[in-house]
Amino acid sequence: MSVPRIGVLALQGDTREHLAALTEAGAEAMPVRRRSELDAVDGLVIPGGESTTMSHLLADLELLEPLRRRLADGLPAYGACAGMILLASEILDAGANGRKALPLHGIDMTVRRNAFGRQVDSFEGDIAFEGLDGPVRAVFIRAPWVERVGAGVQVLARAADHAVAVRQGPVLATAFHPEMTGDRRIHRWFVDMVTGRV
């Protein structure tokens, strides 16, 4: 595969920024809103946004189970912030009153929503990211963190003594938003994951 076709789930959240970052990283990037578009991609980015809203839109548009199946079949995926929450196998503080975030079971991990606090507690800083040269500027906005990882999950970065970037096989997740900086290394790394180079 020379130029992979990578979709960005375009139901809610910062879709445009990920499409631009993927294009800069060498992929053919396209928004994904329908089953036919999901079926056409080699990899998928699940952007930040509101995880409960996104998961219920997935269900309403009949994408939830097809996406779970594609992930189980080995679809490479990358989730940022809300995307990390949805890729988990267990979500803490998932919501109430029947409006809960629904896990996609892409990574064997337990994630806590809004773990770093409310919107006013958002912050950014430089963190070490295993596999990349030099630190990554990480933007945390109502960010989750990982409280438990399964045996096959690699922790790639930590902040405040919690895992904030993880990988399991072809699935990558970060609690922060690399699309909001000019640094494309994480997107390039994901493109390399899709093409089987890393």
Side-chain angles (χ1 to χ4, degrees), residues 85 87-92 103 105 107 109-112 148:
I85 294 166
L87 284 171
S89 54
E90 181 183 17
I91 303 168
L92 302 179
H105 303 280
I107 297 177
M109 63 179 174
T110 301
V111 171
R112 183 173 296 279
R148 177 201 62 84

Side-chain angles (χ1 to χ4, degrees), residues 129-136 183 185:
F129 193 103
E130 189 174 324
L132 298 180
D133 293 331
V136 169
D183 188 342
R185 288 178 294 163

Side-chain angles (χ1 to χ4, degrees), residues 179-196:
E179 77 283 0
M180 297 182 73
T181 72
D183 188 342
R184 299 300 181 229
R185 288 178 294 163
I186 290 175
H187 286 85
R188 279 197 295 270
W189 200 38
F190 180 59
V191 171
D192 288 344
M193 286 174 59
V194 174
T195 58

Side-chain angles (χ1 to χ4, degrees), residues 12-161:
Q12 190 252 356
D14 47 355
T15 304
R16 185 176 54 200
E17 293 86 349
H18 280 289
L19 289 168
L22 288 166
T23 300
E24 290 176 34
E28 177 191 342
M30 61 177 281
V32 170
R33 296 183 187 89
R34 298 177 183 85
R35 172 72 182 272
S36 60
E37 294 164 342
L38 176 62
D39 291 342
V41 297
D42 305 309
L44 182 71
V45 171
I46 305 173
E50 207 291 310
S51 56
T52 303
T53 299
M54 290 170 69
S55 61
H56 285 275
L57 285 169
L58 280 168
D60 292 345
L61 295 170
E62 299 181 353
L63 285 170
L64 184 65
E65 291 307 323
L67 179 50
R68 282 177 172 161
R69 283 194 297 273
R70 284 219 64 194
L71 288 167
D73 289 342
L75 175 72
Y78 165 49
C81 196
M84 169 185 260
I85 294 166
L86 294 180
L87 284 171
S89 54
E90 181 183 17
I91 303 168
L92 302 179
D93 299 326
N97 301 324
R99 295 289 296 171
K100 293 188 176 185
L102 306 171
L104 293 169
H105 303 280
I107 297 177
D108 181 10
M109 63 179 174
T110 301
V111 171
R112 183 173 296 279
R113 289 192 340 150
N114 302 332
F116 284 100
R118 299 165 61 88
Q119 191 85 16
V120 295
D121 301 310
S122 300
F123 67 99
E124 59 183 274
D126 294 330
I127 60 172
F129 193 103
E130 189 174 324
L132 298 180
D133 293 331
V136 169
R137 189 70 176 174
V139 179
F140 294 88
I141 302 172
R142 292 179 61 207
W145 66 43
V146 179
E147 295 209 350
R148 177 201 62 84
V149 295
V153 180
Q154 179 185 12
V155 175
L156 301 170
R158 293 183 177 276
D161 293 327

